[in-house]
Amino acid sequence: MRESYEQFKKRNVEIFIVTPHDEEYLMKYKDTLSSYPFPFYGDSTLTLYDNLGHQSLSKWKLFIHSVSSLFKGNFTLPSNAQDKKAVKEAIKKSDVEVQGGAWLFDSNNEVVWHHIDKSPNDHADISTLIEKANSL
């Protein structure tokens, strides 16, 4: 997403990330997160996730998915040591079962499009997000 940030910015689309972390975690990794051109917010109680209809995978399904991704070569950790440390801590301490998503709101804060991930690899495609942003 950060690689495509300028494409969204020129369309006057604001991006922000909501994570299932608490403020303490976000502050601890502020330097790592500051490499992103958009803000991060924590929802450690999962209130927003729940209200928007996001799901959590069972630990068993997540384990199967992780092992499968590992064997397929789809699971990699960041090469940067600090980013790698942040990812490992998130895996240990956070609700990694929570599936994310992408939401587009118009200037009246009405939802115009959304995608809720069904698995860790089921993300909205950047080109789809840009296409939808063009219609705002």
Side-chain angles (χ1 to χ4, degrees), residues 70-125:
L70 188 62
F71 282 114
K72 291 177 183 175
N74 296 337
F75 182 82
T76 57
L77 289 173
S79 56
N80 175 292
Q82 188 171 357
D83 290 352
K84 188 182 295 185
K85 181 180 176 186
V87 169
K88 286 180 177 179
E89 184 171 341
I91 291 170
K92 290 177 188 174
K93 293 186 174 183
S94 301
D95 190 350
V96 295
E97 299 90 11
V98 175
Q99 298 305 295
W103 294 78
L104 291 175
F105 298 85
D106 65 15
S107 59
N108 296 317
N109 294 323
E110 298 291 326
V111 175
V112 294
W113 183 85
H114 74 279
H115 170 86
I116 297 175
D117 301 349
K118 294 182 179 85
S119 72
N121 290 339
D122 179 35
H123 303 298
D125 185 68

Side-chain angles (χ1 to χ4, degrees), residues 6 16 43 69 96 120 125:
E6 290 300 321
F16 61 92
D43 180 23
S69 293
V96 295
D125 185 68

Side-chain angles (χ1 to χ4, degrees), residues 17-81:
I17 306 298
V18 178
T19 72
H21 300 99
D22 60 22
E23 193 66 27
E24 180 182 341
Y25 176 89
L26 293 175
M27 292 307 293
K28 185 174 181 179
Y29 291 100
K30 185 177 181 188
D31 291 339
T32 300
L33 299 175
S34 69
S35 67
Y36 290 83
F38 35 78
F40 281 71
Y41 299 96
D43 180 23
S44 61
T45 63
L46 304 180
T47 303
L48 182 60
Y49 282 93
D50 291 341
N51 287 339
L52 292 174
H54 290 257
Q55 304 294 314
S56 292
L57 289 180
S58 69
K59 290 190 186 299
W60 181 245
K61 282 185 180 179
L62 188 62
F63 174 75
I64 290 171
H65 177 79
S66 298
V67 170
S68 173
S69 293
L70 188 62
F71 282 114
K72 291 177 183 175
N74 296 337
F75 182 82
T76 57
L77 289 173
S79 56
N80 175 292

